Amino acid sequence: MTKFCEIVVDACPRKNLTDTLQFAREMANAFDAKISVASYAWPKTSMKDVLAPSVFWAEEQARLMERALASSRTIVDEVFGADSDQVHWCSGIGEPTASMQAHLLTADLLITDSSEEEESVLPNPAHVALGSGVPVLRLGRSFGKAHFSRILVAWKDTAQARRAVHDALPLLVRAESVSVVGVGDEVSSERLDAVAAHLRCHGAKAQYLHIPNTTGDACSSLLDQARREQAELIVTGVFGRNSLAERVFGGVTSEMLSNAEICWFMSH
Protein backbone atom coordinates (compact mmCIF):
# COMPACT_ATOMS: atom_id res chain seq x y z
CA MET A 1 0.00 0.00 0.00
CA THR A 2 1.53 3.31 -1.09
CA LYS A 3 -1.17 5.70 0.11
CA PHE A 4 -4.31 5.95 2.17
CA CYS A 5 -7.37 6.34 -0.04
CA GLU A 6 -10.09 6.20 2.61
CA ILE A 7 -9.58 7.51 6.14
CA VAL A 8 -12.07 7.26 8.98
CA VAL A 9 -11.71 9.53 11.99
CA ASP A 10 -13.05 8.61 15.41
CA ALA A 11 -15.25 11.50 16.55
CA CYS A 12 -16.73 9.87 19.62
CA PRO A 13 -17.51 12.66 22.12
CA ARG A 14 -14.34 13.84 23.84
CA LYS A 15 -12.67 17.05 24.96
CA ASN A 16 -9.89 17.42 22.37
CA LEU A 17 -11.93 16.36 19.36
CA THR A 18 -11.12 19.56 17.45
CA ASP A 19 -7.38 18.82 17.34
CA THR A 20 -7.95 15.24 16.23
CA LEU A 21 -10.30 16.28 13.43
CA GLN A 22 -7.88 18.95 12.24
CA PHE A 23 -5.07 16.41 12.11
CA ALA A 24 -7.27 13.96 10.18
CA ARG A 25 -8.26 16.68 7.72
CA GLU A 26 -4.58 17.52 7.08
CA MET A 27 -3.71 13.86 6.55
CA ALA A 28 -6.62 13.34 4.18
CA ASN A 29 -5.46 16.36 2.19
CA ALA A 30 -1.87 15.10 2.13
CA PHE A 31 -2.93 11.75 0.67
CA ASP A 32 -5.86 13.11 -1.37
CA ALA A 33 -7.99 10.65 0.56
CA LYS A 34 -11.71 10.45 1.14
CA ILE A 35 -12.56 11.06 4.78
CA SER A 36 -15.51 9.97 6.87
CA VAL A 37 -16.36 10.61 10.49
CA ALA A 38 -17.80 8.07 12.92
CA SER A 39 -19.17 9.08 16.29
CA TYR A 40 -20.72 6.73 18.82
CA ALA A 41 -21.75 7.51 22.37
CA TRP A 42 -22.24 5.08 25.23
CA PRO A 43 -22.48 6.05 28.90
CA LYS A 44 -20.06 4.84 31.52
CA THR A 45 -21.89 2.75 34.07
CA SER A 46 -21.26 1.87 37.68
CA MET A 47 -22.01 -1.41 39.41
CA LYS A 48 -25.02 0.27 41.02
CA ASP A 49 -26.41 1.15 37.60
CA VAL A 50 -26.00 -2.44 36.43
CA LEU A 51 -27.50 -4.07 39.52
CA ALA A 52 -30.35 -1.61 39.98
CA PRO A 53 -31.20 -0.17 36.56
CA SER A 54 -33.64 2.71 36.48
CA VAL A 55 -35.85 3.66 33.57
CA PHE A 56 -35.36 7.33 34.43
CA TRP A 57 -31.58 6.87 34.54
CA ALA A 58 -31.61 5.19 31.14
CA GLU A 59 -33.71 7.95 29.61
CA GLU A 60 -31.45 10.62 31.07
CA GLN A 61 -28.34 8.87 29.78
CA ALA A 62 -29.89 8.62 26.31
CA ARG A 63 -30.54 12.36 26.32
CA LEU A 64 -26.97 13.05 27.46
CA MET A 65 -25.55 10.83 24.72
CA GLU A 66 -27.70 12.51 22.07
CA ARG A 67 -26.48 15.93 23.20
CA ALA A 68 -22.89 14.69 23.14
CA LEU A 69 -23.30 13.41 19.58
CA ALA A 70 -24.84 16.71 18.51
CA SER A 71 -21.87 18.53 20.02
CA SER A 72 -19.47 16.31 18.07
CA ARG A 73 -21.35 17.05 14.86
CA THR A 74 -21.08 20.78 15.55
CA ILE A 75 -17.30 20.45 15.95
CA VAL A 76 -17.08 18.50 12.68
CA ASP A 77 -18.94 21.28 10.87
CA GLU A 78 -16.64 23.90 12.41
CA VAL A 79 -13.43 22.04 11.47
CA PHE A 80 -14.41 21.16 7.91
CA GLY A 81 -16.35 24.35 7.23
CA ALA A 82 -17.76 24.54 3.73
CA ASP A 83 -16.42 21.04 3.01
CA SER A 84 -18.42 19.43 5.83
CA ASP A 85 -21.18 18.43 3.38
CA GLN A 86 -18.59 16.27 1.57
CA VAL A 87 -17.60 14.45 4.76
CA HIS A 88 -19.59 11.29 5.38
CA TRP A 89 -21.01 11.34 8.91
CA CYS A 90 -22.13 8.23 10.80
CA SER A 91 -23.29 8.32 14.41
CA GLY A 92 -25.41 6.54 16.94
CA ILE A 93 -25.82 5.47 20.54
CA GLY A 94 -23.88 2.25 20.92
CA GLU A 95 -20.79 0.66 22.41
CA PRO A 96 -18.04 2.42 20.43
CA THR A 97 -15.45 -0.35 19.98
CA ALA A 98 -17.90 -2.74 18.32
CA SER A 99 -19.70 0.06 16.45
CA MET A 100 -16.45 1.45 15.07
CA GLN A 101 -15.38 -1.95 13.79
CA ALA A 102 -18.61 -2.26 11.82
CA HIS A 103 -17.94 1.12 10.18
CA LEU A 104 -14.49 0.21 8.80
CA LEU A 105 -15.42 -2.17 5.99
CA THR A 106 -13.52 -0.30 3.25
CA ALA A 107 -11.23 1.95 5.33
CA ASP A 108 -7.46 2.11 4.90
CA LEU A 109 -6.90 3.78 8.26
CA LEU A 110 -8.70 4.83 11.42
CA ILE A 111 -7.44 7.92 13.23
CA THR A 112 -8.21 8.26 16.92
CA ASP A 113 -6.48 9.79 19.94
CA SER A 114 -5.42 8.97 23.47
CA SER A 115 -7.72 11.31 25.35
CA GLU A 116 -9.95 10.23 28.20
CA GLU A 117 -13.58 11.06 28.78
CA GLU A 118 -15.48 11.09 32.05
CA GLU A 119 -19.06 10.70 30.83
CA SER A 120 -18.90 8.33 27.87
CA VAL A 121 -16.96 5.27 26.78
CA LEU A 122 -14.26 5.62 24.11
CA PRO A 123 -13.25 2.86 21.69
CA ASN A 124 -10.24 0.69 22.53
CA PRO A 125 -7.91 1.23 19.54
CA ALA A 126 -6.08 -2.10 19.83
CA HIS A 127 -9.35 -4.02 19.99
CA VAL A 128 -10.63 -2.10 16.97
CA ALA A 129 -7.50 -3.08 15.04
CA LEU A 130 -7.86 -6.68 16.22
CA GLY A 131 -11.54 -6.96 15.34
CA SER A 132 -11.57 -5.04 12.06
CA GLY A 133 -8.18 -5.80 10.48
CA VAL A 134 -7.85 -2.06 9.77
CA PRO A 135 -4.71 -0.22 10.97
CA VAL A 136 -5.27 2.39 13.65
CA LEU A 137 -3.30 5.59 14.22
CA ARG A 138 -3.71 6.69 17.82
CA LEU A 139 -2.49 10.24 18.35
CA GLY A 140 -0.49 10.91 21.49
CA ARG A 141 -1.01 13.73 23.96
CA SER A 142 1.15 16.07 21.90
CA PHE A 143 1.18 15.88 18.12
CA GLY A 144 1.96 18.34 15.38
CA LYS A 145 1.17 18.41 11.70
CA ALA A 146 0.07 15.34 9.79
CA HIS A 147 3.64 14.34 8.92
CA PHE A 148 5.96 12.17 10.98
CA SER A 149 9.63 12.95 10.38
CA ARG A 150 11.12 10.34 12.72
CA ILE A 151 9.47 6.94 13.08
CA LEU A 152 10.43 3.93 15.19
CA VAL A 153 9.30 0.47 14.03
CA ALA A 154 9.11 -2.05 16.87
CA TRP A 155 9.99 -5.35 15.23
CA LYS A 156 9.42 -8.97 16.20
CA ASP A 157 9.30 -11.89 13.80
CA THR A 158 5.51 -12.09 13.89
CA ALA A 159 2.72 -11.78 11.36
CA GLN A 160 1.39 -8.76 13.25
CA ALA A 161 4.68 -6.86 12.95
CA ARG A 162 4.84 -7.61 9.22
CA ARG A 163 1.28 -6.38 8.78
CA ALA A 164 2.03 -3.18 10.71
CA VAL A 165 5.07 -2.39 8.56
CA HIS A 166 3.13 -3.02 5.38
CA ASP A 167 0.17 -0.92 6.51
CA ALA A 168 2.43 1.94 7.66
CA LEU A 169 4.37 2.20 4.37
CA PRO A 170 2.61 5.41 3.27
CA LEU A 171 4.00 7.09 6.40
CA LEU A 172 7.36 5.30 6.44
CA VAL A 173 8.36 6.33 2.92
CA ARG A 174 7.64 9.98 3.74
CA ALA A 175 9.67 10.07 6.95
CA GLU A 176 13.11 11.60 7.21
CA SER A 177 14.35 8.65 9.27
CA VAL A 178 13.00 5.21 10.17
CA SER A 179 14.56 3.10 12.90
CA VAL A 180 13.74 -0.62 12.97
CA VAL A 181 14.27 -1.70 16.58
CA GLY A 182 14.21 -5.15 18.15
CA VAL A 183 14.65 -6.00 21.83
CA GLY A 184 16.15 -9.10 23.41
CA ASP A 185 16.78 -12.55 22.02
CA GLU A 186 13.44 -12.86 20.23
CA VAL A 187 14.95 -11.14 17.20
CA SER A 188 18.42 -11.04 15.65
CA SER A 189 20.44 -8.22 14.10
CA GLU A 190 20.36 -10.10 10.79
CA ARG A 191 16.58 -10.11 10.73
CA LEU A 192 16.38 -6.44 11.67
CA ASP A 193 18.88 -5.59 8.93
CA ALA A 194 16.73 -7.49 6.42
CA VAL A 195 13.61 -5.53 7.44
CA ALA A 196 15.46 -2.21 7.15
CA ALA A 197 16.78 -3.22 3.71
CA HIS A 198 13.25 -4.15 2.62
CA LEU A 199 12.00 -0.72 3.68
CA ARG A 200 14.84 0.98 1.80
CA CYS A 201 13.71 -0.90 -1.33
CA HIS A 202 10.38 0.88 -0.91
CA GLY A 203 12.11 4.25 -0.58
CA ALA A 204 12.18 4.61 3.20
CA LYS A 205 15.31 5.97 4.90
CA ALA A 206 15.58 3.00 7.24
CA GLN A 207 18.28 1.74 9.59
CA TYR A 208 18.13 -0.86 12.33
CA LEU A 209 19.07 -1.21 15.98
CA HIS A 210 19.20 -4.33 18.13
CA ILE A 211 18.90 -3.88 21.89
CA PRO A 212 20.27 -7.22 23.14
CA ASN A 213 19.79 -6.70 26.86
CA THR A 214 17.18 -4.73 28.70
CA THR A 215 16.88 -3.92 32.37
CA GLY A 216 13.12 -3.59 32.09
CA ASP A 217 10.39 -4.91 29.83
CA ALA A 218 10.51 -4.73 26.05
CA CYS A 219 7.96 -1.92 25.82
CA SER A 220 9.94 0.31 28.21
CA SER A 221 13.08 -0.26 26.15
CA LEU A 222 11.25 0.64 22.94
CA LEU A 223 9.76 3.79 24.45
CA ASP A 224 13.13 4.82 25.92
CA GLN A 225 14.71 4.40 22.49
CA ALA A 226 11.91 6.40 20.89
CA ARG A 227 12.59 9.24 23.32
CA ARG A 228 16.34 9.11 22.60
CA GLU A 229 15.67 9.32 18.89
CA GLN A 230 12.95 11.94 19.38
CA ALA A 231 10.65 9.71 17.37
CA GLU A 232 7.20 11.15 16.73
CA LEU A 233 5.53 7.83 15.94
CA ILE A 234 5.99 4.19 16.93
CA VAL A 235 4.75 1.37 14.68
CA THR A 236 3.85 -2.01 16.19
CA GLY A 237 1.74 -5.05 15.64
CA VAL A 238 -0.88 -5.61 18.32
CA PHE A 239 -1.64 -8.80 20.21
CA GLY A 240 1.36 -10.69 18.87
CA ARG A 241 0.34 -13.66 20.97
CA ASN A 242 -3.12 -14.84 21.95
CA SER A 243 -5.10 -11.70 22.73
CA LEU A 244 -6.70 -13.22 25.84
CA ALA A 245 -3.28 -14.28 27.16
CA GLU A 246 -1.94 -10.78 26.59
CA ARG A 247 -4.84 -9.21 28.47
CA VAL A 248 -4.19 -11.55 31.41
CA PHE A 249 -0.39 -11.64 31.47
CA GLY A 250 0.41 -8.33 29.81
CA GLY A 251 2.60 -7.51 26.82
CA VAL A 252 3.69 -4.68 24.56
CA THR A 253 0.11 -3.98 23.46
CA SER A 254 -1.14 -3.65 27.02
CA GLU A 255 1.79 -1.43 27.96
CA MET A 256 1.33 0.78 24.89
CA LEU A 257 -2.36 1.21 25.68
CA SER A 258 -1.39 2.76 29.01
CA ASN A 259 1.15 5.12 27.42
CA ALA A 260 -0.48 8.15 25.86
CA GLU A 261 2.58 10.28 25.15
CA ILE A 262 3.70 9.14 21.69
CA CYS A 263 1.64 8.62 18.55
CA TRP A 264 1.10 4.94 17.85
CA PHE A 265 0.39 3.16 14.57
CA MET A 266 -0.91 -0.37 15.15
CA SER A 267 -2.09 -3.32 13.07
CA HIS A 268 -3.08 -6.92 13.63
Side-chain angles (χ1 to χ4, degrees):
M1 183 166 63
T2 58
K3 63 174 291 187
F4 302 119
C5 293
E6 184 172 346
I7 294 173
V8 177
V9 56
D10 164 19
C12 294
R14 49 166 54 85
K15 293 178 181 177
N16 67 336
L17 182 55
T18 297
D19 292 339
T20 301
L21 289 169
Q22 289 174 341
F23 181 98
R25 183 190 62 187
E26 290 179 13
M27 180 165 283
N29 289 338
F31 288 98
D32 192 24
K34 181 173 70 173
I35 190 167
S36 60
V37 178
S39 183
Y40 300 98
W42 192 251
K44 289 185 176 180
T45 56
S46 65
M47 187 59 67
K48 177 182 177 181
D49 299 325
V50 174
L51 295 177
S54 164
V55 174
F56 298 106
W57 178 86
E59 292 176 349
E60 176 62 20
Q61 291 302 309
R63 286 192 291 270
L64 288 174
M65 295 302 100
E66 289 171 355
R67 286 201 291 268
L69 291 171
S71 176
S72 293
R73 180 60 205 243
T74 298
I75 296 172
V76 169
D77 291 339
E78 291 172 350
V79 170
F80 289 94
D83 297 328
S84 62
D85 291 340
Q86 306 300 318
V87 176
H88 177 68
W89 165 265
C90 182
S91 68
I93 297 177
E95 198 287 315
T97 297
S99 298
M100 198 67 68
Q101 290 176 24
H103 188 72
L104 298 174
L105 177 64
T106 60
D108 293 319
L109 179 68
L110 170 68
I111 297 177
T112 184
D113 60 45
S114 55
S115 62
E116 298 179 354
E117 182 58 41
E118 295 180 357
E119 295 183 355
S120 58
V121 177
L122 294 177
N124 182 305
H127 292 173
V128 172
L130 174 66
S132 68
V134 173
V136 177
L137 172 60
R138 189 192 73 172
L139 302 176
R141 286 200 179 102
S142 59
F143 55 88
K145 295 183 178 180
H147 173 76
F148 299 104
S149 299
R150 295 175 296 278
I151 301 177
L152 186 147
V153 174
W155 181 262
K156 288 177 64 177
D157 290 345
T158 64
Q160 291 79 12
R162 294 183 182 93
R163 171 56 57 187
V165 166
H166 177 269
D167 289 342
L169 274 176
L171 300 176
L172 296 173
V173 299
R174 289 166 170 79
E176 295 175 8
S177 68
V178 176
S179 182
V180 181
V181 180
V183 177
D185 57 6
E186 293 186 355
V187 63
S188 67
S189 295
E190 291 75 16
R191 303 286 280 183
L192 294 169
D193 188 18
V195 175
H198 171 73
L199 289 175
R200 289 195 295 272
C201 288
H202 282 277
K205 302 176 180 67
Q207 301 295 327
Y208 78 92
L209 172 67
H210 184 215
I211 304 175
N213 298 309
T214 174
T215 56
D217 59 84
C219 186
S220 296
S221 296
L222 291 167
L223 291 171
D224 288 344
Q225 184 61 31
R227 283 188 284 268
R228 282 192 289 270
E229 296 186 11
Q230 297 183 316
E232 300 155 337
L233 175 70
I234 186 167
V235 175
T236 79
V238 292
F239 299 120
R241 57 183 177 181
N242 180 279
S243 59
L244 177 59
E246 184 151 345
R247 292 176 203 176
V248 174
F249 299 110
V252 171
T253 302
S254 300
E255 293 296 324
M256 286 295 298
L257 282 169
S258 65
N259 183 290
E261 297 301 323
I262 191 170
C263 296
W264 178 23
F265 185 102
M266 67 195 83
S267 290
H268 178 81

